[in-house]
């Protein structure tokens, strides 16, 4: 079942205690799509500048990602630069050059509009809503957001997410959006905003999924070396929605299996953990579906009692 | 199967965002014993002063805790006072008066020495070792420690824990003891120090158990209200070792079931979560074994996939 992903495609400069990269393929849409591509046919909507390299296009193409919706326009590709703290729990942004992303007006190719799965990466909420309105007969839609939109475009954000099946954000965003520090209370308030399914990412501490009819929690995978956490949350999103698309999951079917949502959280966690093992998107150059399923099984073993 | 617990019995003054108590029964030994008493016959070794109230003695007696090893001596009971931050992730110690605890020289009553289970709460490591040496034919022994002993009595601590079956500490202590920030590496180094089983408590983020032959992780229970986290780690310890004593768990039996250790971590988590629901030891005045087993089942549901 095909999936449409929208969001940023970027170049990143990253420094972690393990090393640095001056210019590497990045952006939320890139990570989400690469991750989801292991599970389902994935199409992206994004924008890049004239400097976008054919080698980087090939990274996505080699995973079978449909790039018809990736516009290339005059100017430079979105550029982000950041440096991580020694324990990698904090990062400082050194530079954000929106470049061509500043005027991003997502346009869906006609071939995308009948896709049953849609993931709206972190962009201005009115744009997210506009994309959803272009879709015809979408079955399962959700997305991400960030502190900036919660603070500056709260009403537009609430309007957008009220139409979503799921919201996937990190714990600090959940606290900011709900105004509640306690995550159990925060989750209940967010469910009142529309999405029937809320996934809260907690970085190295794992993730949780909350609905009126279920609560699921999983600890984070314990890596021996975290090389670079950039994109891990986006790879989580790609694994989560990619797995559900692969399974043909349908919330509107009264008989859906809640455990499919739980397993999607595990696949999200698996993909996030792989992402951290190398710089940028490098891990995906060698990662196989077999590796993914083996780590899924490992999650089963280390949580069984 | 009976359990001997050694450690501090204290009075605490506690302030959290939910309120305060000027003087309430506390101390690691108290929390561990109250928690373990739901699972197994528990005997304590500790010291209190002349000010120790009969009502507080009764709190322990009412749970069937054997107080033969609780010495009462001239002077005042150990007193600790602390205040928690708004998010309760930090606390500041306002006052520590060791009082009679300063000269604590644990003496085991003869009736304790054949107990098969021993938990050595956080005290000076030579004292921990001395207690273990007084035991005859102990089957399963382990304990806790703290940053102060890791820093000031490292050699004595290494000598003590080299004789333990399990070490149960929090994540920051594991990092300090091993000199490794990454918990997976930290755990491997600690296993090299002697204990075959390491349990790392991660507060609201749950806990993990590491052995050469298994890794188990569990997320923290999501409480709607954390009233007072004081003693939660000690209640975890009491649930962990209490459950194993109840089951007659024996590491030296080659056929032991690893999942019993995993379930012990769940019971530890359950007891820690209940502890936070009211001030000090108050939750244990009403808590029943049925409540405990229901929350154990809840852990099963919210971690199933």
């Amino acid at each position: 079942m095909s999936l449409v992903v929208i969001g940023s495609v970027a170049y990143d400069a990253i420094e972690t205690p393990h090393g640095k990269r001056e210019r590497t393929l990045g952006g939320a849409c890139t990570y989400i799509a690469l991750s989801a591509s292991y599970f389902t046919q994935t199409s992206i909507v994004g924008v890049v500048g004239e400097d976008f390299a054919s080698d980087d296009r090939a990274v996505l193409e080699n995973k079978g990602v449909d790039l018809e919706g990736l516009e290339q326009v005059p100017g430079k590709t979105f550029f982000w630069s950041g440096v991580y703290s020694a324990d990698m729990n904090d990062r400082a942004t050194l530079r954000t050059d929106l470049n061509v992303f500043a005027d991003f007006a997502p346009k869906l190719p006609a071939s995308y509009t009948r896709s049953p799965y849609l993931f709206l990466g972190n962009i201005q909420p009115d744009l997210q809503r506009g994309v959803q309105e272009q879709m015809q007969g979408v079955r399962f839609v959700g997305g991400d957001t960030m502190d900036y939109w919660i603070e500056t475009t709260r009403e537009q954000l609430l309007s957008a997410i009220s139409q979503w099946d799921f919201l996937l954000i990190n714990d600090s965003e959940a606290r900011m959006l709900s105004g509640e520090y306690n995550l159990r209370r925060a989750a209940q308030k967010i469910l009142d905003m529309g999405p029937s399914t809320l996934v809260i990412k907690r970085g190295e501490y794992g993730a949780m999924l909350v609905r009126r009819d279920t609560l699921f929690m999983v600890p984070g995978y314990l890596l021996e070396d975290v090389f670079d956490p950039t994109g891990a949350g986006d790879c989580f999103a790609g694994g989560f929605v990619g797995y559900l698309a692969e399974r043909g999951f349908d919330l509107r079917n009264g008989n859906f299996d809640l455990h499919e949502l739980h397993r999607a959280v595990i696949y999200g966690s698996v993909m996030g953990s792989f992402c951290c093992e190398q710089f940028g998107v490098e891990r995906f150059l060698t990662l196989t579906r077999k590796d993914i399923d083996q780590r899924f099984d490992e999650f089963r073993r280390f949580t069984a009692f």
Side-chain angles (χ1 to χ4, degrees), chain A:
Chain A
M1 291 283 191
S2 67
L3 165 70
V4 171
V5 176
I6 181 167
S8 59
V9 178
Y11 282 119
D12 294 342
I14 301 167
E15 185 171 350
T16 84
H18 295 282
K20 62 197 291 184
R21 292 291 183 279
E22 293 296 347
R23 183 181 174 83
T24 185
L25 177 61
C29 186
T30 305
Y31 283 105
I32 299 164
L34 285 175
S35 174
S37 72
Y38 286 88
F39 301 91
T40 196
Q41 169 57 46
T42 304
S43 306
I44 68 172
V45 180
V47 64
V48 292
E50 294 152 320
D51 57 346
F52 195 68
S54 58
D55 281 359
D56 291 316
R57 181 177 285 272
V59 168
L60 290 155
E61 282 171 342
N62 290 343
K63 297 290 177 201
V65 175
D66 181 345
L67 302 183
E68 191 188 341
L70 182 64
E71 264 190 294
Q72 192 158 17
V73 300
K76 281 188 165 184
T77 301
F78 180 16
F79 179 79
W80 174 83
S81 162
V83 57
Y84 286 84
S85 62
D87 65 6
M88 279 190 275
N89 284 327
D90 283 308
R91 75 176 185 197
T93 290
L94 300 178
R95 202 165 139 189
T96 305
D97 299 335
L98 289 177
N99 297 330
V100 300
F101 194 60
D103 301 313
F104 182 39
K107 287 176 277 297
L108 263 67
S111 63
Y112 285 20
T113 57
R114 295 198 174 275
S115 178
Y117 294 87
L118 174 63
F119 189 88
L120 298 157
N122 163 34
I123 56 171
Q124 206 278 350
D126 284 336
L127 297 180
Q128 291 177 314
R129 206 185 44 176
V131 169
Q132 185 172 0
E133 286 168 357
Q134 293 176 57
M135 299 289 286
Q136 293 164 25
V138 72
R139 174 187 291 185
F140 190 64
V141 54
D144 193 3
T145 190
M146 68 184 291
D147 49 3
Y148 181 76
W149 307 123
I150 296 171
E151 280 175 355
T152 61
T153 59
R154 185 175 175 83
E155 289 311 310
Q156 295 97 310
L157 178 64
L158 292 177
S159 167
I161 69 175
S162 71
Q163 303 302 311
W164 297 1
D165 295 301
F166 69 96
L167 174 65
L168 194 155
I169 52 181
N170 70 34
D171 43 8
S172 68
E173 290 157 355
R175 289 177 168 131
M176 186 182 284
L177 179 59
S178 65
E180 287 279 354
Y181 182 81
N182 179 289
L183 287 182
R184 195 152 193 159
R185 291 168 182 273
Q188 295 307 315
K189 282 207 174 177
I190 293 171
L191 294 180
D192 289 338
M193 296 173 187
S196 61
T197 300
L198 170 65
V199 180
I200 300 179
K201 299 171 289 179
R202 307 172 87 188
E204 65 169 314
Y205 298 114
M208 52 191 277
L209 179 146
V210 192
R211 292 170 46 87
R212 300 264 181 240
D213 54 5
T214 194
L215 165 66
F216 176 66
M217 297 180 77
V218 64
Y221 185 80
L222 212 60
L223 286 164
E224 284 221 17
D225 281 303
V226 176
F227 263 85
D228 173 14
T230 309
D234 297 316
C235 290
F236 183 110
F240 176 80
V241 70
Y243 171 75
L244 291 171
E246 177 183 49
R247 304 291 298 170
F249 183 79
D250 188 356
L251 270 181
R252 288 146 206 181
N253 170 348
N255 289 324
F256 70 85
D257 178 2
L258 274 177
H259 282 165
E260 286 284 28
L261 287 170
H262 299 188
R263 289 189 279 271
V265 171
I266 301 295
Y267 274 109
S269 304
V270 165
M271 299 309 290
S273 74
F274 279 121
C275 180
C276 297
E277 290 183 349
Q278 292 184 31
F279 272 95
V281 301
E282 290 169 17
R283 185 65 182 89
F284 298 103
L285 303 182
T286 56
L287 184 72
T288 66
R289 179 59 188 260
K290 191 177 166 197
D291 298 328
I292 293 166
D293 289 331
Q294 278 176 345
R295 188 159 291 180
F296 181 92
D297 291 340
E298 209 181 325
F299 264 89
R300 240 190 228 300
R301 284 197 303 280
F302 80 60
T303 60
F305 65 91

